[in-house]
Amino acid sequence: MSAVRCVVFGVTGYIGGRLVPELIQAGHEVRVVARTPAKLAEVPWLEQVEVVRGDVTDGDQVRCAVADQEVVYYLVHSLARRDFADVDRAGAQLVARAAKSAGVRRIVYLGGIVPPHAELSRHLASRAEVGEILRASGVPTVELRAAVIIGSGSASFEMLRYLSERLPAMVTPRWVHNRIQPIAVRDVLYYLVHAAELPAEVNRAFDVGGPDVLTYLTMMREYAVVAGLNHRVVLPVPVLTPWLSAQWVNLVTPVPRALAVPLIESLVHEVVRTEHDIAAYIPDPPEGLTPYRCAVELALTRIRNADVPTRWSDASTEGAPSDPLPTDPDWSGGSLYEDVRQHHTWADPDTVWAVIESIGGENGWYSFPLAWSLRGWIDRITGGVGLRRGRKHPQRLRSGESLDWWRVEHIDRPHLLRLRAEMRLPGLAWLELGVEPAPHGGSRYHQRAIFQPHGLAGHLYWKAISPFHSAVFGGMVRNITSTAERTVADRTSP
């Protein structure tokens, strides 16, 4: 395979973040486009790519991004937004025009399988529309259409995993009997990488899928077998609509309602490839396409080993603030509430930092678990992300990744961790946790909760929760420092 210059849009997403190292390994020169380049600060391939700031809805930035490039990978999808169809249409049109003007020779797009003769969901219709826009650009475009992607961290796999693991018996809608042709994420990446070398006359969509055609019900039962779970009892209920199913998924799995609704609406159709024409241009992988059970085993192995390079939640959620910091001039003159606490501990700074960086997920938040759990459920019920997104690795965080209902906005290891709230709030919120050496030994732990209210509701919200700050934030200070001290004591005791 000859080296090409390629630019990747959607690099902070699930597929984009996994595609880049594959392109590098194939010998290509890679440029990546990110609205917030800081989110890429700790990816292992950062030094091997060119990073440019860009948003697909900004024409000037798009033109700069595609300049001098041979292949454009378009992996952007604004699924969690209410207006995702409008945003994706506008982005595709800008990229199509810019690619044509810049003399790009190939566009590669990942879409979804389109069921023939079916009334498409808004999600599938939008994916298909983007493909049509790109193919009509005048730049040869290959659209790879996939159904459910099986891989550690994918939204579809996480939904399947949590439904299967948490519900030994469940009532299910009729769509669980629809046929699906899942595909392993490794096979999707294989097709994407090789699509850069397709002949110039190829300008069309290709269905891609794994070797197995299953119902969603069978997928859940086979997942249970691979995961070593007991047989799952399923009772079909025809009155469960896709909307009602999405509410259930929102409560039971980490996938929020904004994402669950379009995913389930797509499962109402049978999503099976109608052709395998891609094999005439890109042969199947040397070891063959990955069977469903093998794909599940590979995904679970990555999860057990805490080796999940990207997750569906890596992409920012709807309405998340862009990146303003509490010290920026934009804050001057505005209302800003803070809860600032400090505590001296005899534990060394490195040990305190280890506790800070391991916060969240299965490790918890070191403070009033009932209050955190209740707030998480309220967020889920109102359509927010809740606490179930967890974390990728039990001890190490990366800038830009999700952490329960927070996102890691900045990490200055081993001194400061700043988290930005993505829960539903009448305002913007941050949480800072930090440590520094104390003048006479030990450490000074410092913590700051920041809230910028929006309107009267924001002010009332802060006033209403202020009485609980001593238990929540004060408890966090005490428990983080005491955990660090116990760690030192356990390490030094005979």
Side-chain angles (χ1 to χ4, degrees), residues 415-427:
H415 305 293
L416 178 68
L417 172 65
R418 180 185 296 117
L419 306 175
R420 187 182 74 231
E422 292 190 336
M423 69 191 86
R424 290 187 177 271
L425 289 170

Side-chain angles (χ1 to χ4, degrees), residues 298-313:
L298 290 169
L300 290 178
T301 298
R302 277 191 174 274
I303 292 170
R304 283 193 295 267
N305 294 338
D307 182 25
V308 181
T310 62
R311 295 190 300 168
W312 62 270
S313 54

Side-chain angles (χ1 to χ4, degrees), residues 110-160:
L110 179 62
I113 288 180
V114 178
H117 315 299
E119 183 179 349
L120 301 182
S121 67
R122 291 177 60 239
H123 165 50
L124 278 181
S126 174
R127 301 295 290 270
E129 181 186 22
V130 169
E132 292 171 359
I133 292 170
L134 296 176
R135 291 197 306 274
S137 65
V139 178
T141 296
V142 58
E143 176 187 357
L144 300 175
R145 292 177 168 176
V148 172
I149 296 177
I150 302 298
S152 58
S154 80
S156 296
F157 182 72
E158 289 298 286
M159 188 171 82
L160 173 76

Side-chain angles (χ1 to χ4, degrees), residues 59 78 180 208 212 308 456:
S78 311
I180 301 168
V208 295
D212 303 309
V308 181
L456 178 60

Side-chain angles (χ1 to χ4, degrees), residues 424-444:
R424 290 187 177 271
L425 289 170
L428 306 177
W430 288 261
L431 179 63
E432 289 184 342
L433 312 175
V435 62
E436 58 187 24
H440 304 293
S443 310
R444 179 180 293 111

